[in-house]
Amino acid sequence: LKTLPEAAAGCTGCSILSALQDLSVAFWPCRSKMEKHLQVISVLQWVISFMAMGAACTVLLIYMFCTDCWLISAIYTAWLIVDWNTPKQGGRRSSWVRNWTVWTYFRDYFPIRLIKTHNLLPSRNYIFGYHPHGIFCFGAFCNFGTEATGFTKKFPGIKPSLATLAGNFRLPVLRDYLMSGGICPVNKNSIDYLLSRNGTGNAVVIVVGGASESLQCAPGMNIVTLKNRKGFVRLALQKGSDLVPVYSFGENDAYKQVIFEEGTYWRSFQRRLQKILGFAPCLFHGCGLFFGNSWGIVPYGNPITTIVGEPITVPKIEDPSDEMVDLYHAMYIKSLQCLFDKYKTRSGLKESDVLYIQ
């Protein structure tokens, strides 16, 4: 039999344990809310960085020349001149930056998933055609610009390089931020270096539809701009790099956009700015920072599922004929169509949903 003090001690221990369990349950909702806030912040910092970091740092750099801190600006400007061609020569990726914890919060906000369908050989180079563009290419950035979805674990020996507007690499600080994630300019010199002078196991990710496609994106829309986009196929033939179709279900659901009809003044205005700036000025909105039913630049938290398809083996032909380009372009379109049809119901679409290729 237990003595009175032993019994009292036992009851006290049970009470403390019970109280701690109740406390953890009480604080769990707060922890869940905190994680959601961190997810929103992680996505918002990327959106703001992409939209404003380059311009803000350019203005700051010029302003500092007029202050007592001019020496800092002078040193950075000198470094910028010396380092100007680095983005065209493979960049300066950082495994540390690609594995930041902030990217796991970024991934979990939507959430974003990467699905592997076939193995890729490290002895080959690849050109990934990414579809659709969406507004900010969240799926492309998360899957290929970070390690949040485990790209290098799923495709060992393959090093992805997401290609984006070359103009971004002329802007101070932003260029370094992008290069740290393995992001490169989408121009001939940069891609030529990665596929010809950087060994094997390289995968250049090109958002084929580009700025024109972003003007067509809206929730529920499955439209890709591809019929007349043959440059990436010609490049693949010239370098002997295999083509890999990639489709991101849900990429177009991140924002709502006002889509102007072709021929209207506003659409013509968008097209004109697109030619000048290199990107399309879309009129879009997401949800607010504090209230989900308000408007803002925070994207809607809809799932994004990125499917990496089967590689199309491409021979190396230094000067491919138009007929050869058309042949492999048709093969690529067929492969992308099959990829969409096979995985659409598994990714939340209906069997009746169709991929429109324009």
Side-chain angles (χ1 to χ4, degrees):
L1 295 174
K2 291 184 179 180
T3 63
L4 187 60
E6 288 174 336
C11 288
T12 303
C14 291
S15 299
I16 293 173
L17 182 61
S18 178
L20 287 173
Q21 289 174 341
D22 292 342
L23 191 63
S24 66
V25 171
F27 276 103
W28 176 251
C30 295
R31 180 182 174 185
S32 179
K33 282 185 178 180
M34 180 61 71
E35 286 189 352
K36 189 62 181 177
H37 290 326
L38 289 172
Q39 291 170 8
V40 171
I41 291 169
S42 68
V43 173
L44 195 58
Q45 69 82 24
W46 168 247
V47 171
I48 293 174
S49 296
F50 196 78
M51 290 176 65
M53 179 187 281
C57 289
T58 301
V59 172
L60 180 62
L61 191 68
I62 295 171
Y63 170 75
M64 287 175 65
F65 268 113
C66 305
T67 68
D68 293 337
C69 299
W70 65 269
L71 185 59
I72 297 174
S73 290
I75 292 172
Y76 183 82
T77 302
W79 160 251
L80 201 61
I81 294 170
V82 171
D83 195 56
W84 191 253
N85 289 324
T86 299
K88 303 174 187 176
Q89 299 170 351
R92 188 170 45 247
R93 75 174 58 221
S94 166
S95 296
W96 176 63
V97 174
R98 285 176 62 88
N99 284 281
W100 275 356
T101 304
V102 67
W103 306 131
T104 63
Y105 287 111
F106 183 101
R107 174 199 66 198
D108 294 339
Y109 173 78
F110 294 94
I112 296 173
R113 291 190 304 147
L114 178 66
I115 305 297
K116 170 185 176 180
T117 62
H118 292 79
N119 291 325
L120 299 181
L121 299 175
S123 59
R124 298 284 295 173
N125 283 328
Y126 300 90
I127 292 180
F128 285 18
Y130 184 89
H131 313 270
H133 185 286
I135 298 292
F136 281 107
C137 300
F138 290 116
F141 170 71
C142 186
N143 289 308
F144 308 117
T146 79
E147 289 298 328
T149 55
F151 181 90
T152 55
K153 291 180 180 178
K154 293 177 180 178
F155 299 97
I158 305 298
K159 185 166 62 177
S161 298
L162 175 61
T164 187
L165 287 174
N168 290 324
F169 295 89
R170 302 187 186 102
L171 301 174
V173 183
L174 177 63
R175 67 191 295 275
D176 302 290
Y177 191 33
L178 295 176
M179 280 195 291
S180 66
I183 300 175
C184 66
V186 62
N187 59 32
K188 190 177 185 301
N189 292 336
S190 174
I191 297 174
D192 178 76
Y193 182 92
L194 289 168
L195 298 178
S196 302
R197 289 176 283 172
N198 201 41
T200 58
N202 299 290
V204 178
V205 185
I206 300 176
V207 186
V208 179
S212 296
E213 193 173 85
S214 66
L215 292 174
Q216 299 292 338
C217 72
M221 301 279 281
N222 302 300
I223 301 175
V224 297
T225 302
L226 182 57
K227 278 186 179 179
N228 296 317
R229 300 294 172 102
K230 300 179 182 180
F232 73 106
V233 177
R234 185 178 296 276
L235 184 62
L237 285 163
Q238 290 172 340
K239 305 303 175 185
S241 300
D242 295 346
L243 289 165
V244 181
V246 180
Y247 195 88
S248 265
F249 294 93
E251 183 70 64
N252 285 343
D253 298 335
Y255 288 106
K256 294 179 181 177
Q257 181 183 189
V258 178
I259 299 178
F260 300 105
E261 293 291 332
E262 291 291 344
T264 62
Y265 170 78
W266 290 110
R267 177 47 64 96
S268 300
F269 181 69
Q270 285 179 314
R271 297 289 188 192
R272 198 173 299 118
L273 281 181
Q274 177 190 329
K275 290 181 179 179
I276 297 171
L277 302 175
F279 64 90
C282 304
L283 187 59
F284 66 91
H285 74 84
C287 55
L289 181 59
F290 301 105
F291 303 101
N293 57 352
S294 61
W295 286 13
I297 61 171
V298 179
Y300 294 107
N302 297 316
I304 297 175
T305 303
T306 302
I307 316 293
V308 179
E310 181 179 4
I312 301 169
T313 303
V314 176
K316 185 174 182 179
I317 305 173
E318 290 188 5
D319 187 19
S321 64
D322 291 341
E323 291 76 16
M324 186 63 71
V325 172
D326 289 342
L327 173 64
Y328 279 91
H329 184 258
M331 289 171 61
Y332 180 87
I333 289 178
K334 183 179 179 181
S335 182
L336 178 65
Q337 186 73 66
C338 291
L339 185 71
F340 179 87
D341 291 337
K342 183 176 180 180
Y343 288 93
K344 62 184 177 182
T345 54
R346 306 183 203 183
S347 304
L349 299 186
K350 296 177 291 185
E351 186 63 43
S352 58
D353 286 326
V354 177
L355 176 64
Y356 296 97
I357 298 175
Q358 60 181 22

